[in-house]
């Protein structure tokens, strides 16, 4: 009898607590803000002006967390470092990455970005293995050669910086994915990838003649070429081959990935690696041209490396002796904030800083706002690499994201930028051509028209000619 009484009391308590908590969560309000017009929401306000203006006016009116409605989805935008950490790191399991279905079809459903849990963990381990410093050390000489030839091909020409940087970062991405085999497949892969990317921002209408249709066809061809590469690798691979490129890492240790999974992830990595790094490089050139004293100091640092290597090729250790150039890259990543924000989706109703974020709502950590807040970076619009002589406050600097989806390619990105800057500053001078103040967002922030520049060979002292 006593036992039954205890059971009844326990059940009643559970029932009461459940009710109470449900009631409590129902009482939570949505974050402040407006949802705009039905369906279109505030998409037009965001995309018809500089996004900074949209974000800044919202933050001023509603504070660091506010709701809006963009591209057909209700969203919560967050702009405090602490809240971004909760979404990306401490409660990452409640906020899954999210992309439009057409992008998933184009990149491949099995690519790392779209997953959480065990499959994501496994892919991440394999991707990191190919892009950790230990693996990259061996690639410095080849990246150096690609950088040298790239810059040489610009001599005396008027170039579109972004377009040229895209070629450079594409070639480096292929090298890190396929190793030296990349040269054999470069042109075919490039042709297919360039058709694929043209469809990336098109209407997802898969009928003959549309950009989307052409892109899907090119994607199929890409997967076929990659399939051939995998089968040749498989037939020549020995048991004790150690993987030193991404394909090797995916195929090694009986990882059990299918060809389709590998192809989706190779296409995904090219997508993640190319335009991001090319945009940052374009901004580096712009900021250096606009800040002659910084350019002079970087040139001195790079000339010292050139003298020190005495005719030898550039190696990993040289790239570790470029602290000022590294700070220029950090400051460029901060000021340009090429990824203004990222997308997550609440997997259940979440209580967040006293508000309710309903299941299915998008959550956008606003990197750009965090990087441009005077509380985190005094005089935030000023390009001042010396601010990175001290480490930034925790969670205030995340150009490569944070948490389980943070960028696994960040070391490669920094390395290829350092190497290109080495060749540029030691041998060339460049001047910007045309208007220099505009920014385009497509989707990465980029100087207007891709920054047209004219490049010429410097009169180099004989001690520096190599
Ligand atoms: C300066 C250049 C780059 C920037 C600014 C950048 C930025 C980022 C950011 C912010 C994320 C996280 C996105 C999120 O949490 O939603 C990310 C993810 C990723 N990046 Fe990068 N990235 C760059 C270059 C690269 C390169 C060179 C590679 C490949 C070698 C790469 C591969 C990836 C991959 C595979 C992911 C997805 C990781 C995952 O979902 O676990 N990125 N990147």
């Amino acid at each position: 009898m006593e036992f039954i009484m205890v059971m009844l009391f326990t059940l009643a308590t559970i029932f009461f607590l459940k009710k109470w908590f449900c009631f409590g969560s129902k009482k939570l309000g949505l974050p402040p803000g407006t949802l705009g017009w039905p369906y279109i929401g505030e998409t037009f306000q965001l995309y018809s002006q500089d996004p900074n203006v949209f974000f800044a006016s919202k933050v001023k009116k509603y504070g660091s967390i506010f709701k809006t409605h963009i591209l057909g989805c209700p969203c919560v935008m967050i702009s405090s470092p602490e809240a971004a950490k909760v979404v990306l790191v401490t409660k990452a399991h409640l906020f899954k990455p999210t992309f439009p279905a057409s992008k998933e079809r184009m990149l491949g459903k099995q690519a790392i970005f779209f997953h959480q849990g065990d499959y994501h963990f496994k892919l991440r381990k394999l991707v990191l293995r190919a892009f950790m410093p230990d693996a990259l050390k061996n690639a410095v000489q080849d990246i150096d050669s690609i950088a040298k030839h790239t810059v040489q091909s610009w001599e005396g020409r008027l170039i579109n910086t972004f377009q040229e940087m895209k070629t450079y970062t594409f070639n480096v991405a292929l090298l890190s994915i396929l190793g030296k085999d990349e040269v054999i497949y470069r042109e075919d892969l490039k042709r297919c990838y360039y058709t694929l990317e043209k469809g990336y921002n098109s209407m997802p209408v898969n009928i003959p003649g549309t950009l989307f249709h052409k892109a899907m066809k090119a994607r199929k061809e890409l997967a076929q070429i990659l399939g051939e590469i995998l089968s040749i690798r498989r037939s020549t691979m020995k048991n004790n081959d150690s993987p030193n490129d991404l394909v090797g890492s995916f195929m090694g240790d009986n990882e059990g990935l299918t060809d389709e999974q590998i192809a989706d992830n190779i296409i995904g990595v090219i997508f993640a690696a190319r335009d991001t790094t090319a945009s940052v490089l374009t901004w580096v050139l712009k900021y250096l041209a606009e800040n002659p004293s910084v350019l002079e100091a970087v040139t001195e640092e790079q000339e010292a490396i050139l003298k020190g290597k005495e005719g030898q090729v550039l190696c990993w250790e040289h790239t570790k002796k470029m602290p000022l150039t590294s700070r220029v890259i950090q400051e460029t990543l901060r000021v340009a904030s090429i990824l203004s924000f990222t997308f997550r989706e609440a997997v259940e109703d979440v209580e967040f800083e006293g508000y309710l974020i309903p299941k299915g709502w998008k959550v956008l950590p606003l990197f750009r706002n965090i990087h441009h807040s005077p509380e985190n970076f005094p005089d935030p619009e000023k390009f001042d690499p010396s601010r990175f002589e001290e480490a930034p406050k925790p969670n205030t600097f995340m150009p490569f994201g944070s948490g389980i989806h943070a960028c696994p390619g960040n070391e490669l990105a920094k390395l290829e930028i350092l190497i290109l800057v080495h060749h540029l500053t030691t041998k060339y001078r460049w001047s910007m051509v045309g208007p220099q103040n505009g920014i385009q967002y497509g989707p990465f922030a980029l100087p207007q028209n891709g920054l047209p520049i004219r490049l010429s060979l410097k009169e180099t002292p004989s001690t520096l000619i190599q």
Side-chain angles (χ1 to χ4, degrees):
M1 182 65 184
E2 199 178 315
F3 175 72
I4 293 173
M5 290 296 284
V6 171
M7 281 296 285
L8 282 174
F9 178 74
T10 313
L11 284 173
T13 311
I14 291 172
F15 181 73
F16 171 78
L17 284 175
K18 211 171 158 199
K19 275 294 241 191
W20 189 80
F21 275 116
C22 286
F23 177 72
S25 71
K26 268 195 195 125
K27 272 180 60 176
L28 288 176
L30 295 169
T34 45
L35 295 176
W37 293 89
Y39 193 74
I40 48 172
E42 299 186 311
T43 311
F44 189 66
Q45 286 93 317
L46 173 62
Y47 287 101
S48 62
Q49 60 183 335
D50 175 351
N52 292 338
V53 177
F54 178 83
F55 299 139
S57 70
K58 292 284 185 186
V59 171
K60 197 166 164 208
K61 204 162 170 188
Y62 302 115
S64 68
I65 165 163
F66 59 89
K67 67 173 178 295
T68 177
H69 195 283
I70 306 292
L71 299 170
C73 308
C75 311
V76 173
M77 296 191 166
I78 54 171
S79 65
S80 82
E82 298 75 23
K85 185 181 173 195
V86 172
V87 172
L88 299 173
V89 186
T90 39
K91 296 213 170 140
H93 59 289
L94 297 176
F95 300 98
K96 64 172 186 186
T98 167
F99 290 79
S102 59
K103 313 286 185 229
E104 280 193 32
R105 273 173 73 193
M106 225 168 244
L107 295 180
K109 284 188 185 340
Q110 319 223 41
I112 184 167
F113 324 99
F114 311 126
H115 294 271
Q116 298 272 76
D118 290 349
Y119 177 64
H120 173 259
F121 183 77
K122 174 175 166 169
L123 285 175
R124 206 171 156 79
K125 187 190 81 182
L126 301 179
V127 174
L128 277 169
R129 178 158 76 176
F131 295 123
M132 290 300 270
D134 265 354
L136 295 178
K137 277 179 190 169
N138 303 320
V140 173
Q141 207 173 320
D142 292 320
I143 300 177
D144 186 51
S145 156
I146 297 178
K148 199 168 157 185
H149 290 111
T150 303
V151 181
Q152 258 169 12
S153 74
W154 304 341
E155 262 175 47
R157 287 171 52 208
L158 171 66
I159 59 155
N160 180 307
T161 310
F162 181 56
Q163 292 306 327
E164 298 293 331
M165 293 300 183
K166 279 195 335 183
T167 305
Y168 171 61
T169 53
F170 184 82
N171 293 342
V172 173
L174 282 196
L175 173 78
S176 62
I177 293 168
L178 300 175
K180 295 207 167 148
D181 286 354
E182 64 98 13
V183 184
I184 312 168
Y185 302 104
R186 193 188 277 176
E187 288 316 312
D188 278 344
L189 292 172
K190 192 177 278 176
R191 178 178 49 77
C192 295
Y193 187 80
Y194 278 49
T195 312
L196 175 66
E197 72 159 358
K198 280 197 194 122
Y200 190 75
N201 288 323
S202 64
M203 291 283 285
V205 182
N206 200 1
I207 47 174
T210 61
L211 282 177
F212 188 79
H213 183 77
K214 286 182 190 154
M216 292 308 288
K217 257 179 83 179
R219 202 210 170 281
K220 213 167 159 188
E221 200 183 334
L222 258 182
Q224 267 163 7
I225 302 173
L226 292 171
E228 276 166 37
I229 297 175
L230 295 182
S231 90
I232 295 173
R233 272 274 178 116
R234 219 165 261 132
S235 64
T236 54
M237 211 163 78
K238 296 185 195 78
N239 275 346
N240 55 356
D241 268 0
S242 59
N244 48 13
D245 54 37
L246 187 64
V247 167
S249 183
F250 282 149
M251 293 175 78
D253 298 350
N254 300 322
E255 296 301 346
L257 293 181
T258 64
D259 281 11
E260 197 187 340
Q261 286 171 329
I262 297 180
D264 286 4
N265 280 288
I266 290 177
I267 296 170
V269 164
I270 299 176
F271 169 79
R274 193 192 65 165
D275 288 15
T276 46
T277 316
S279 310
V280 175
L281 269 163
T282 306
W283 283 108
V284 168
L285 261 65
K286 178 167 166 50
Y287 293 138
L288 285 178
E290 286 172 351
N291 294 275
S293 59
V294 180
L295 174 59
E296 200 181 321
V298 167
T299 307
E300 263 173 36
E301 179 171 88
Q302 295 300 337
E303 284 178 350
I305 303 269
L306 192 62
K307 265 191 200 157
K309 70 185 169 117
E310 291 172 344
Q312 304 291 309
V313 287
L314 200 72
C315 66
W316 176 257
E317 283 67 34
H318 294 127
T319 66
K320 295 287 128 194
K321 290 182 191 146
M322 303 178 178
L324 176 60
T325 318
S326 299
R327 288 199 289 275
V328 166
I329 297 173
Q330 285 179 298
E331 180 66 340
T332 302
L333 287 164
R334 184 193 72 79
V335 182
S337 287
I338 57 140
L339 277 161
S340 301
F341 48 80
T342 190
F343 282 94
R344 293 290 186 271
E345 184 183 309
V347 297
E348 57 185 63
D349 283 359
V350 181
E351 182 185 342
F352 194 86
E353 297 200 343
Y355 298 112
L356 170 72
I357 302 184
K359 179 178 176 186
W361 278 41
K362 308 288 178 204
V363 181
L364 281 66
L366 302 179
F367 298 135
R368 175 175 282 273
N369 279 56
I370 296 172
H371 294 162
H372 283 252
S373 156
E375 281 170 33
N376 305 330
F377 297 97
D379 200 358
E381 302 314 314
K382 185 174 172 204
F383 180 82
D384 177 9
S386 72
R387 68 172 86 237
F388 281 95
E389 282 165 16
E390 278 175 31
K393 289 188 230 157
N395 309 307
T396 58
F397 183 56
M398 35 189 153
F400 294 106
S402 191
I404 50 169
H405 287 279
C407 181
N410 75 88
E411 292 289 344
L412 174 64
K414 288 183 276 189
L415 180 67
E416 60 187 299
I417 297 173
L418 285 174
I419 296 177
L420 194 111
V421 170
H422 173 74
H423 286 285
L424 258 184
T425 54
T426 50
K427 299 188 201 81
Y428 300 91
R429 61 179 89 253
W430 65 97
S431 54
M432 298 185 284
V433 179
Q436 283 141 37
N437 289 329
I439 302 183
Q440 325 167 171
Y441 297 86
F444 305 118
L446 197 67
Q448 196 177 356
N449 301 326
L451 193 73
I453 60 165
R454 196 176 288 284
L455 194 90
S456 55
L457 207 53
K458 278 202 262 192
E459 281 163 28
T460 317
S462 56
T463 49
L464 293 177
I465 295 174
Q466 287 184 21

